[in-house]
Amino acid sequence: MAAVATMQPILSALATMQSSNNASKTQAHAYLERFQKSADAWTSSFTLLQGDSDVQAKLFAATTLKGKIVFDFYQLPRESLPQLRDSILDLLRTYAKGPKPIRTQLCVCLANLAIQMLEWKDVLQTVVSALGSDSDSIACVLEFIHVLPEEVTQGRKINLAEDELQQRTRELLEENAQQVLQLLTQYARSSPTAAQDPILMACLTSWVAEVQVNDVVNSPLMDVIMTAIQADTSFDEAVETLCALFRETRDVDESVATIKTLYPRLAALRPRIQACAEEEDWDTFKGITRVFAEAGEAWVVLIAREPLQFRPLVESVLECCARDKERDALSQTFNFWYELKQYITLERYMEARVQLNDIYSKLVDIMIGHLQFPTSETGNDTDLFDGDREAEDKFREFRHAMGDVLKDCCEVIGVTQCLEKSYVLVEAWVGRNGAQAQQGKVPAWQQLEAPLFSLRAMGRMVPKDEN
């Protein structure tokens, strides 16, 4: 009863935060901030988490505990740290089944304690042993594995000397990397459901920078990733994992063997571009587009060096652009086209410029097509976005970004050839619709305005001394 009475001011303040009285909310917020900075918050947080308060109160307690460990660690005597660690592990067992936000906060608490508790050397082994091996406990272990690298790499907010933080980074990440891969492999093999668990992909993504990428690519986990990207439940997370792998191979000279293994895996995804477009599964289409675009960005130097071998990758990115009817995935490719242009317009990569000339030529046609304004769903040509001014502003900004891609194309294939494409489209429109055009009524005007817009964008690439 005494514990409940002690917690009552905190619970009352939390309840007030849900009210509509702004003055009361301001007072409650100030009280809760003072509480979180106090030394009493250590024990009160555990009391709330171990009691029968509502979920919001417990989440507040878990968040408070995290803040205490990160910012107020100095308030604790060193001899109390093992007890704090064991208490958090007990709470994780209690919240193994959720709620997930509380479980996540507790994992973050444990990770930050591990960073600062320098005498705790067998962190991963302790966590795995303490939490057990049933399905609920495994979820806790995986969540801890997921948050640990991020908390370590953000460790500068923690009051540790630079050399201590560097040593702790080695101990927690580098020295645990192989064991983490083994744990993830074991979990992936435990069941078909486990292999498609989004948290498995999230763990891999967070550890990619800490392991040898080749150890992932040449392990059974690579098959798991490629299977996960085929499943709706794990698709988004698998996209993140693949893109993380690509980013780790940007030093192409150091990653030749890894890229040779990854490239065929990537190529196997190309049929999904057409499949997703035909099924109008635009969310998946956007993810697939991102995968190809990020691979292209990571390997752009290799594309410039070996254009014939990597031409299928460039064609895949082009296909993504061509099939993007919703124009929602397109922008993910813009940086790739720019980076590739930067290389192949150099004298040393002239062969690549010749080999990829036709792709940039097709890209001009595709971009001009995407420049077209939409047709109004209500038939009102004066309001093409049906009153959605934000959508209209975004589309206008998007068109200018496409104009930049057209300028990139001009640098690759020449401004004259690009302008000629626009001119041909204008002439074709005049042949089809010129006779019907009249003041205030221009049929299919979007098909005329798009090439005219492209002419203006690419016209800026004409040299000032050009006749």
Side-chain angles (χ1 to χ4, degrees):
M1 290 296 291
V4 173
T6 306
M7 294 302 103
Q8 195 54 52
I10 302 168
L11 296 173
S12 297
L14 288 169
T16 301
M17 292 298 294
Q18 306 302 316
S19 72
S20 57
N21 188 321
N22 288 333
S24 298
K25 286 170 72 172
T26 301
Q27 291 179 345
H29 184 266
Y31 171 79
L32 292 171
E33 278 195 329
R34 288 195 302 273
F35 161 74
Q36 288 181 313
K37 293 175 183 177
S38 71
D40 291 339
W42 288 102
T43 53
S44 297
S45 295
F46 280 101
T47 301
L48 283 169
L49 285 162
Q50 291 163 350
D52 56 359
S53 304
D54 62 27
V55 171
Q56 285 304 115
K58 291 179 176 181
L59 182 57
F60 169 77
T63 305
T64 298
L65 183 59
K66 178 189 73 175
K68 300 300 288 182
I69 293 172
V70 173
F71 300 110
D72 296 335
F73 201 65
Y74 66 91
Q75 294 176 344
L76 293 177
R78 298 298 299 186
E79 61 267 20
S80 70
L81 299 186
Q83 182 183 352
L84 175 61
R85 175 193 63 197
D86 295 343
S87 297
I88 296 173
L89 287 168
D90 285 341
L91 285 173
L92 275 170
R93 281 191 287 267
T94 301
Y95 289 96
K97 293 183 179 180
K100 188 177 183 296
I102 297 175
R103 188 179 71 198
T104 299
Q105 288 298 315
L106 291 173
C107 285
V108 173
C109 288
L110 191 61
N112 280 284
L113 175 60
I115 297 168
Q116 298 176 88
M117 191 174 170
L118 304 181
E119 61 271 30
W120 185 13
K121 300 299 183 182
D122 58 344
V123 172
L124 197 57
Q125 295 93 320
T126 300
V127 172
V128 172
S129 175
L131 294 180
S133 58
D134 62 85
S135 58
D136 293 327
S137 298
I138 286 174
C140 283
V141 173
L142 291 175
E143 192 136 24
F144 176 75
I145 290 173
H146 175 216
V147 303
L148 183 60
E150 183 175 338
E151 296 305 313
V152 171
T153 54
Q154 291 182 355
R156 294 188 182 280
K157 64 188 177 185
I158 287 175
N159 188 24
L160 279 182
E162 187 68 28
D163 59 336
E164 289 178 323
L165 182 57
Q166 289 178 356
Q167 179 182 344
R168 206 60 181 140
T169 300
R170 284 194 300 273
E171 291 173 349
L172 292 174
L173 300 184
E174 294 176 24
E175 294 176 12
N176 280 321
Q178 287 304 315
Q179 186 183 354
V180 166
L181 288 183
Q182 290 170 10
L183 285 170
L184 296 180
T185 302
Q186 289 170 7
Y187 178 64
R189 287 172 166 172
S190 65
S191 73
T193 304
Q196 295 179 11
D197 190 343
I199 189 64
L200 174 62
M201 291 298 107
C203 288
L204 274 169
T205 302
S206 65
W207 279 84
V208 159
E210 316 304 333
V211 301
Q212 294 292 324
V213 178
N214 221 31
D215 290 343
V216 177
V217 171
N218 292 307
S219 77
L221 286 170
M222 196 64 219
D223 288 329
V224 174
I225 296 168
M226 300 311 295
T227 300
I229 205 169
Q230 303 291 339
D232 292 340
T233 54
S234 51
F235 175 79
D236 291 339
E237 289 77 10
V239 167
E240 293 290 344
T241 304
L242 273 178
C243 291
L245 287 171
F246 297 147
R247 286 192 293 272
E248 290 301 312
T249 61
R250 280 181 178 272
D251 187 344
V252 295
D253 292 317
E254 293 289 326
S255 308
V256 171
T258 304
I259 293 170
K260 283 184 178 179
T261 305
L262 276 174
Y263 190 28
R265 299 277 198 168
L266 176 65
L269 292 176
R270 184 171 180 179
R272 294 201 72 186
I273 302 172
Q274 179 178 347
C276 290
E278 290 176 349
E279 294 165 11
E280 298 188 346
D281 181 358
W282 300 116
D283 287 340
T284 303
F285 182 89
K286 188 173 182 178
I288 293 295
T289 298
R290 183 184 166 200
V291 166
F292 280 101
E294 292 223 16
E297 286 183 47
W299 303 340
V300 66
V301 180
L302 280 182
I303 297 172
R305 290 177 186 170
E306 304 175 45
L308 289 178
Q309 182 176 350
F310 286 91
R311 181 184 173 94
L313 173 54
V314 186
E315 290 175 335
S316 297
V317 181
L318 184 74
E319 184 180 354
C320 291
C321 294
R323 294 187 182 276
D324 187 15
K325 294 178 183 177
E326 293 293 298
R327 292 183 281 207
D328 194 31
L330 197 61
S331 61
Q332 298 177 120
T333 71
F334 291 171
N335 193 56
F336 165 70
W337 297 117
Y338 169 78
E339 293 287 348
L340 184 56
K341 178 267 298 185
Q342 290 288 85
Y343 278 97
I344 65 176
T345 51
L346 297 174
E347 187 67 31
R348 65 185 298 184
Y349 296 122
M350 185 58 66
E351 176 62 25
R353 183 175 181 177
V354 172
Q355 294 293 340
L356 302 176
N357 187 286
D358 63 313
I359 290 180
Y360 271 87
S361 178
K362 292 172 184 174
L363 184 61
V364 174
D365 301 328
I366 292 167
M367 287 297 154
I368 294 176
H370 285 313
L371 283 171
Q372 287 188 26
F373 274 96
T375 54
S376 172
E377 293 181 5
T378 62
N380 181 7
D381 270 356
T382 61
D383 189 3
L384 300 175
F385 295 87
D386 301 325
D388 190 341
R389 292 291 166 258
E390 184 179 353
E392 182 175 358
D393 289 342
K394 283 184 177 180
F395 184 69
R396 290 182 184 279
E397 184 179 337
F398 181 51
R399 276 165 42 106
H400 285 291
M402 285 191 280
D404 290 338
V405 177
L406 287 171
K407 293 173 190 174
D408 293 335
C409 295
C410 288
E411 291 191 58
V412 176
I413 68 175
V415 66
T416 302
Q417 184 177 338
C418 290
L419 290 174
E420 185 178 353
K421 286 175 173 290
S422 299
Y423 181 73
V424 167
L425 289 171
V426 172
E427 275 196 324
W429 182 91
V430 171
R432 290 193 309 271
N433 303 295
Q436 289 82 40
Q438 53 186 290
Q439 184 75 26
K441 188 174 182 180
V442 181
W445 64 267
Q446 290 94 334
Q447 296 173 18
L448 172 64
E449 191 276 341
L452 289 175
F453 180 94
S454 70
L455 280 170
R456 185 175 66 176
M458 295 187 293
R460 293 172 184 156
M461 301 299 292
V462 177
K464 287 185 170 39
D465 58 353
E466 181 87 8
N467 189 329

